[in-house]
Amino acid sequence: MTTSESAPLLTMSGIVKEFPGVRALDGVDLEVRAGEVHCLLGQNGAGKSTLIKVLAGAHPPDAGDMLWDGEPVRPAGPTAAMRLGIATIYQELDLVEGLTVAENIFLGHETARLGFSRRGEMNKTAHQLLGRLGHGEISPTLPLGRLPAAGRQIVSMARALSHDTRLIIMDEPSAALAHDEVANLFRIIRELTASGVAVVYISHRLAEIREIGDRVTVLKDGRTVAVGLPARTTPTAEVVALMTGRSTEHAFPERTGMPGDEILRVEGLALPGRFTDVSFSVRAGEIVGLAGLVGSGRSEILETVYGARRPSAGRVLIDGRPLRPGSTSVAVTAGIGLAPEERKAQGLLMYESVGRNITAASMRRYSRLGWLDRRREARDAAEMVRTLDIRPADPDRPVRALSGGNQQKTVFARWLLKGCRLLLLDEPTRGVDVGARAELYAQVRALAAQGVAVLLVSSEVPEVLGLADRVLVIREGKIVHKAAATDLDEHRVLDLIMEGSSL
């Protein structure tokens, strides 16, 4: 019997979940079969996270039915869900850096005898699980903190398999992975499904859905709008329209206007172990994209321009004047702003309001003789909320309550208010849904139209090609190609990234 003909392993019908003032799920349906990759799509706020938490036992549903192997179930908590064979790998991996690989794999269900953990048995079983995932080279006794992002994800998957798992939920598993690491992730997923394990796969990257998925369920505003669509043959435009309620065929705004005077010049910049002899320029109103694999040096170049890293050679010039290296305050004073990849950890004050996050870089203008002009600060923050269409339009709302796209708009608003002349964007749409991406692209293009110079890093080649005016291809810390975005296509850029063809 094929996967398409098999009885459902999991059936969720009419699932409702309410929180104070919000109905997060309003009658959601989901059906998953053994041995399939079932993709769950939807914009931020569509209900995906709430649904998987209901499935994982973290939230009890307020209404609806859940069948597991045809039998009614309602997991009383995450432990009960694990006993059924349901494991969840969240985007923010719930691992402990101070523990070893094996200790993380068996965290919460350690092998013990007479109250003492049996480390030898745990290490042996951990080695077997890692080998099953094709990573027997990872030592069970290695401290987790010494592993890269891809290695930690393997540990999280081994932890899921340690529970005799029949269904694994993967929430944005490729978000922090390089191109070759994603290929390895897909290999592991295919091996798991071949053994009968079901996978619920959540991602904003539609190309991934088409490559790894079997069927797709789409959520919008807490409701199911499509069930069981074929992942490989359903047109992208149809999926996007279901997610957003509108067509986004023209997601990338048209390039308008001509770049102005040179704002940024980088000459012979080097950082040991990261990049060498990097030189380029960015003009007013121009968007320059850096394309390359994770670890190629892209982010480190941005951080060095911003003053967060001190180069061993070379210099950064703004308007022809060299900047003192290794000083973020000098960079900000010169008109440089950074929207970092880890916006929650590095770019936002998560427990402050939207308004305070917007004004954080401009506090001097509101301070006079030791007093803070809160009325002026609130007025400017409200104006930025309107200008960038941050939703909901409430400057007093905690920024942590916003979707990923609106959090990113808040970072943009901070630098727009500051009068930023060079904006550095590191993975600006990471964790942002399809509809919000189109809005962010429009905002970036609008900033460029106002004369802001933009330097962009993205792991998604179509995003670099669609948004940038010029593209710099980076491999192993060196710029291997420079060209207008219109002179390149995705295949050519990937060839350059992988092969490193010289200029």
Side-chain angles (χ1 to χ4, degrees):
M1 183 181 293
T2 65
T3 299
S4 62
E5 297 170 339
S6 62
L9 172 66
L10 167 75
T11 303
M12 303 178 80
S13 305
I15 301 296
V16 173
K17 182 61 187 176
E18 294 184 347
F19 298 101
V22 177
R23 178 168 277 211
L25 301 177
D26 190 15
V28 170
D29 301 326
L30 176 67
E31 179 196 272
V32 183
R33 299 166 184 158
E36 80 164 330
V37 178
H38 197 109
C39 301
L40 189 60
L41 297 180
Q43 298 192 69
N44 291 108
K48 304 187 303 295
S49 295
T50 305
L51 181 64
I52 65 173
K53 287 178 180 177
V54 169
L55 175 55
H59 290 328
D62 297 314
D65 299 310
M66 179 171 160
L67 301 179
W68 181 254
D69 257 350
E71 298 294 326
V73 294
R74 183 166 293 198
T79 302
M82 287 180 182
R83 289 198 192 102
L84 288 173
I86 301 170
T88 305
I89 302 174
Y90 293 102
Q91 184 177 356
E92 307 280 340
L93 299 179
D94 52 345
L95 301 174
V96 182
E97 286 198 9
L99 298 181
T100 67
V101 167
E103 287 168 340
N104 270 281
I105 289 173
F106 291 99
L107 191 63
H109 64 117
E110 294 83 353
T111 302
R113 184 176 184 182
L114 300 176
F116 295 94
S117 63
R118 304 171 68 175
R119 293 184 183 276
E121 186 173 331
M122 285 198 303
N123 289 341
K124 180 180 178 181
T125 307
H127 181 70
Q128 292 171 346
L129 290 169
L130 292 166
R132 180 181 174 187
L133 295 171
H135 282 271
E137 79 282 358
I138 298 177
S139 171
T141 60
L142 185 72
L144 183 85
R146 291 172 59 183
L147 286 177
R152 296 183 191 203
Q153 189 169 73
I154 295 299
V155 172
S156 191
M157 294 178 73
R159 181 180 174 186
L161 293 176
S162 72
H163 293 276
D164 192 24
T165 301
R166 299 180 64 195
L167 170 65
I168 299 180
I169 306 163
M170 298 184 178
D171 186 7
E172 296 284 354
S174 66
L177 301 184
H179 186 270
D180 59 332
E181 294 167 340
V182 173
N184 185 59
L185 170 67
F186 287 178
R187 177 191 62 78
I188 292 171
I189 290 174
R190 291 187 181 104
E191 290 180 0
L192 289 172
T193 55
S195 67
V197 175
V199 174
V200 173
Y201 191 94
I202 300 171
S203 177
H204 288 116
R205 298 175 177 177
L206 298 184
E208 289 184 5
I209 301 302
R210 196 172 301 284
E211 180 176 352
I212 195 63
D214 294 306
R215 295 190 300 150
V216 173
T217 289
V218 183
L219 303 185
K220 184 178 186 298
D221 298 331
R223 297 185 177 94
T224 305
V225 294
V227 177
L229 297 176
R232 293 173 178 81
T233 58
T234 303
T236 298
E238 180 181 339
V239 174
V240 172
L242 286 166
M243 291 171 61
T244 65
R246 63 185 185 276
S247 171
T248 56
E249 293 177 2
H250 305 291
F252 295 107
E254 291 185 14
R255 297 176 174 89
T256 58
M258 292 292 293
D261 296 335
E262 181 179 278
I263 298 293
L264 169 70
R265 174 165 288 276
V266 172
E267 296 179 345
L269 210 59
L271 189 67
R274 301 295 184 176
F275 58 84
T276 58
D277 195 25
V278 169
S279 300
F280 62 90
S281 64
V282 187
R283 294 180 288 172
E286 183 182 34
I287 302 173
V288 173
L290 303 182
L293 298 176
V294 174
S296 63
R298 311 165 311 170
S299 295
E300 290 81 2
I301 291 171
L302 260 63
E303 292 166 0
T304 304
V305 170
Y306 187 62
R309 295 176 181 263
R310 188 180 185 90
S312 60
R315 59 180 185 166
V316 176
L317 301 92
I318 296 292
D319 294 327
R321 294 188 294 274
L323 291 184
R324 177 160 58 89
S327 173
T328 57
S329 60
V330 168
V332 171
T333 299
I336 303 176
L338 170 67
E341 178 180 5
E342 300 292 342
R343 60 176 169 269
K344 291 183 179 180
Q346 302 171 352
L348 292 167
L349 307 169
M350 294 302 291
Y351 288 91
E352 293 285 351
S353 67
V354 171
R356 178 50 56 87
N357 271 276
I358 291 173
T359 61
S362 305
M363 294 306 294
R364 285 188 179 181
R365 75 171 66 180
Y366 306 116
S367 180
R368 179 173 297 178
L369 301 177
W371 294 92
L372 190 63
D373 188 344
R374 296 188 181 276
R375 182 175 297 180
R376 184 185 176 194
E377 180 189 11
R379 184 180 67 244
D380 287 354
E383 177 61 28
M384 286 294 102
V385 167
R386 286 191 295 272
T387 299
L388 275 82
D389 192 24
I390 297 172
R391 295 188 292 262
D394 179 10
D396 296 324
R397 190 179 183 87
V399 76
R400 66 181 182 276
L402 269 57
S403 68
N406 284 291
Q407 287 179 349
Q408 191 68 289
K409 286 184 185 180
T410 300
V411 178
F412 290 2
R414 174 189 301 162
W415 297 118
L416 182 61
L417 178 64
K418 178 66 177 173
C420 167
R421 302 185 63 230
L422 170 66
L423 182 58
L424 310 175
L425 302 179
D426 195 353
E427 301 285 7
T429 61
R430 180 180 174 186
V432 175
D433 63 69
V434 173
R437 286 183 180 212
E439 295 181 20
L440 287 178
Y441 297 151
Q443 293 289 355
V444 173
R445 184 58 67 183
L447 290 172
Q450 296 173 32
V452 176
V454 179
L455 184 59
L456 163 75
V457 162
S458 176
S459 296
E460 299 187 35
V461 174
E463 184 168 89
V464 175
L465 295 177
L467 197 55
D469 300 301
R470 285 191 298 123
V471 176
L472 313 178
V473 181
I474 299 175
R475 183 176 186 269
E476 297 179 354
K478 295 181 179 180
I479 297 177
V480 297
H481 196 77
K482 302 178 183 180
T486 52
D487 293 337
L488 296 168
D489 58 28
E490 185 175 0
H491 181 77
R492 173 62 173 151
V493 173
L494 288 174
D495 277 349
L496 289 163
I497 286 173
M498 303 306 293
E499 299 298 331
S501 302
S502 60
L503 287 167

